[in-house]
Amino acid sequence: MLPQKLKDMFRSRTIRWLTNPGGRVSKVCSRRNYRVLAIETSCDDTCVAIIDRKSRQEPPVLLAHLKETLDSEKHGGIVPTKAHLHHQIKVGSLVQQALRQTSSEHSIDLVCVTRGPGMPGSLSGGLDFAKGLAVAWDKPLVGVHHMLGHLLISRMHTNGSSPRYPFVSLLVSGGHTIFVHSKSISEHEILCNTIDIAIGDSLDKCAREIGIKGNMIAKNMEKFINENLEEAQSQTVDMSLPNPLRNQNGRMNVQAFSFAPFLTAVRTAMAKNKMQKCTKETRSMAYQIQEALFEHLITKLKLVISLRPDIFECTRHLVCSGGVGANRRLQQKLRDELSFQFQEFHYPEPSLCTDNAVMIGWAGIEIFENLGIKTELGVTPVKKWPLSDLLNVPGWIST
Ligand code: AMP
Ligand code: ZN
């Protein structure tokens, strides 16, 4: 495998397609209408979707969108072996349900599945199943990068407001916090990444410390804050939360996020004040936690914008996606504080922000149509897969 050679091959193929749309394309691509089955199992959600790609000129039609989330509340977090088992139990019946309810048992033309990054046990639950279907139906398989799914989903509904290259994406989820610059479907530069845990992980853990319960705890925390915003903003407790990696003497302009210190600070505040969990002060604490983490995000985005004029002089579209991207307060803060830089803010609807199979189907369609590539049947999960190395993994083949 010669990655650079392969990249050049794909690039020239893309250009050939763009300049010669009537040229040689795969059987599936050349059809006007084709149907896609998508599977996502990178973490604790088993997700299945069926999408109709009627033509390149119109947005695809979503026919089925199913999800079964592992209940990890009693374990205090996701246990990889339990997640692996969950996918094995759920994926078959969910695919069967999606196929039956859309009468697609004999009409899938393309199988898209998450190949990485993520927990290998979880990924293999979906990947192995998808390979089997691709063989049985004799249809192409596309192994999709999970974060590319989050990044491209805003482009699915082309109602005139889809992000145009070059654009930047803030991808904020339970496992990732990255700020990415995208010049094309295959050219991505990570501008800022977390040096410890992801923002969703930190929000969930901080929320659990103050007594909020549930599976998606940060989502519950947002709801809890909004139930009584006045009380939440009352500042009844002073949590003294940090803004990590700030410019200080000897440490300037660190282009990275850090979310672990928030958890330490919340634990310290809880111990110092000997607080009962779930008291009336909880809402004030929840508000401060959410504000502090979002403030840190925005501080770092502003820093990156100021340090990279080469990128931001001509980048006016911002995408915010991933589970935390569904948070209304974050969306509002991004608009309020970054409108000096961005003209368009793209926020996918909440069900497409959290992990889902629709984004995997859509990213697979974009890869298949625009890069003219698919995935070999011998591929294995990719645990760590930088978005900047999208094509730099074995297993891509020309369609
Ligand atoms: P993902 O990994 O993309 O599925 O996102 C899951 C993460 O997003 C979890 O940490 C959730 O708690 C978090 N999340 C989901 N909805 C919200 C919300 N409305 N506000 C803040 N965090 C959220
Ligand atoms: Zn995700």
Side-chain angles (χ1 to χ4, degrees):
M1 160 69 91
L2 294 168
Q4 190 54 47
K5 230 175 157 182
L6 209 64
K7 274 191 201 172
D8 294 343
M9 187 183 96
F10 294 145
R11 210 164 277 144
S12 63
R13 190 181 161 79
T14 311
I15 290 163
R16 203 164 63 232
W17 163 247
L18 291 172
T19 53
N20 179 21
R24 191 180 73 81
V25 287
S26 83
K27 267 190 290 180
V28 172
C29 255
S30 60
R31 278 167 55 169
R32 259 163 196 260
N33 185 346
Y34 67 99
R35 194 165 280 193
V36 179
L37 171 73
I39 301 175
E40 148 66 36
T41 64
S42 64
C43 191
D44 59 341
D45 301 299
T46 313
C47 314
V48 174
I50 295 183
I51 301 171
D52 238 357
R53 179 65 163 156
K54 290 200 178 301
S55 77
R56 281 172 165 246
Q57 283 70 45
E58 58 194 309
V61 179
L62 181 53
L63 301 178
H65 183 190
L66 305 175
K67 177 157 151 174
E68 286 264 5
T69 302
L70 173 69
D71 186 356
S72 298
E73 195 180 350
K74 60 177 177 294
H75 302 293
I78 300 160
V79 180
T81 48
K82 295 206 183 301
H84 173 63
L85 211 59
H86 172 75
H87 297 308
Q88 285 190 315
I89 293 166
K90 297 291 176 189
V91 72
S93 55
L94 275 187
V95 168
Q96 187 178 53
Q97 189 185 335
L99 292 173
R100 282 188 180 159
Q101 78 185 36
T102 58
S103 305
S104 304
E105 293 95 328
H106 306 291
S107 49
I108 297 296
D109 304 294
L110 177 68
V111 180
C112 300
V113 62
T114 309
R115 187 184 171 195
M119 297 189 288
S122 289
L123 289 164
S124 64
L127 184 59
D128 290 346
F129 198 85
K131 282 189 210 172
L133 290 174
V135 171
W137 290 330
D138 190 22
K139 298 296 176 191
L141 176 79
V142 179
V144 176
H145 190 296
H146 178 85
M147 299 312 285
L148 188 72
H150 280 304
L151 190 148
L152 292 178
I153 188 63
S154 313
R155 286 168 49 82
M156 189 174 85
H157 292 293
T158 47
N159 53 2
S161 65
S162 119
R164 287 184 300 279
Y165 296 112
F167 62 85
V168 283
S169 305
L170 176 64
L171 304 180
V172 276
S173 69
H176 300 267
T177 312
I178 50 175
F179 188 38
V180 192
H181 177 242
S182 304
K183 283 202 271 191
S184 73
I185 183 173
S186 58
E187 296 171 282
H188 309 280
E189 182 188 356
I190 310 289
L191 304 176
C192 200
N193 203 342
T194 177
I195 57 165
D196 41 53
I197 57 174
I199 184 168
D201 193 17
S202 182
L203 279 168
D204 287 346
K205 286 178 172 150
C206 290
R208 191 177 296 122
E209 284 296 319
I210 62 169
I212 295 172
K213 301 219 168 357
N215 224 5
M216 281 222 180
I217 312 185
K219 184 180 175 185
N220 297 345
M221 182 158 77
E222 182 193 23
K223 196 162 157 255
F224 177 62
I225 292 166
N226 292 340
E227 274 163 14
N228 189 340
L229 197 55
E230 208 177 308
E231 187 176 282
Q233 291 173 330
S234 64
Q235 193 86 23
T236 19
V237 191
D238 179 13
M239 301 207 64
S240 307
L241 296 175
N243 193 345
L245 302 178
R246 254 198 315 200
N247 282 354
Q248 285 171 356
N249 287 344
R251 196 185 62 195
M252 296 296 286
N253 297 338
V254 181
Q255 295 179 65
F257 305 112
S258 172
F259 294 100
F262 293 102
L263 184 57
T264 314
V266 170
R267 284 183 178 147
T268 309
M270 292 297 285
K272 201 166 76 189
N273 294 302
K274 293 202 175 45
M275 271 174 234
Q276 295 284 313
K277 289 184 178 179
C278 268
T279 60
K280 62 180 181 188
E281 285 93 26
T282 309
R283 219 185 295 274
S284 161
M285 293 192 280
Y287 180 80
Q288 289 176 62
I289 291 167
Q290 200 179 258
E291 287 298 301
L293 271 82
F294 294 166
E295 199 51 47
H296 175 57
L297 264 184
I298 287 172
T299 304
K300 289 300 174 182
L301 296 188
K302 284 181 176 166
L303 178 71
V304 175
I305 291 168
S306 71
L307 294 176
R308 294 296 302 268
D310 55 321
I311 286 175
F312 287 95
E313 259 163 29
C314 59
T315 302
R316 299 279 177 252
H317 291 195
L318 173 78
V319 171
C320 178
S321 183
V324 182
N327 187 288
R328 291 296 166 128
R329 177 64 181 146
L330 175 59
Q331 295 179 357
Q332 182 201 347
K333 264 178 104 69
L334 290 170
R335 272 188 206 282
D336 288 352
E337 301 210 28
L338 299 181
S339 55
F340 71 90
Q341 172 62 45
F342 301 111
Q343 286 161 354
E344 288 187 21
F345 293 81
H346 297 273
Y347 303 138
E349 64 177 77
S351 68
L352 299 180
C353 268
T354 46
D355 286 351
N356 66 86
V358 183
M359 68 182 196
I360 300 305
W362 174 249
I365 289 171
E366 286 224 32
I367 290 170
F368 197 74
E369 289 184 0
N370 298 327
L371 295 178
I373 53 174
K374 61 181 182 175
T375 302
E376 275 176 346
L377 290 170
V379 294
T380 50
V382 188
K383 183 179 176 187
K384 292 204 163 130
W385 186 3
L387 201 43
S388 44
D389 280 343
L390 186 68
L391 301 179
N392 205 4
V393 289
W396 291 117
I397 46 173
S398 187
T399 55

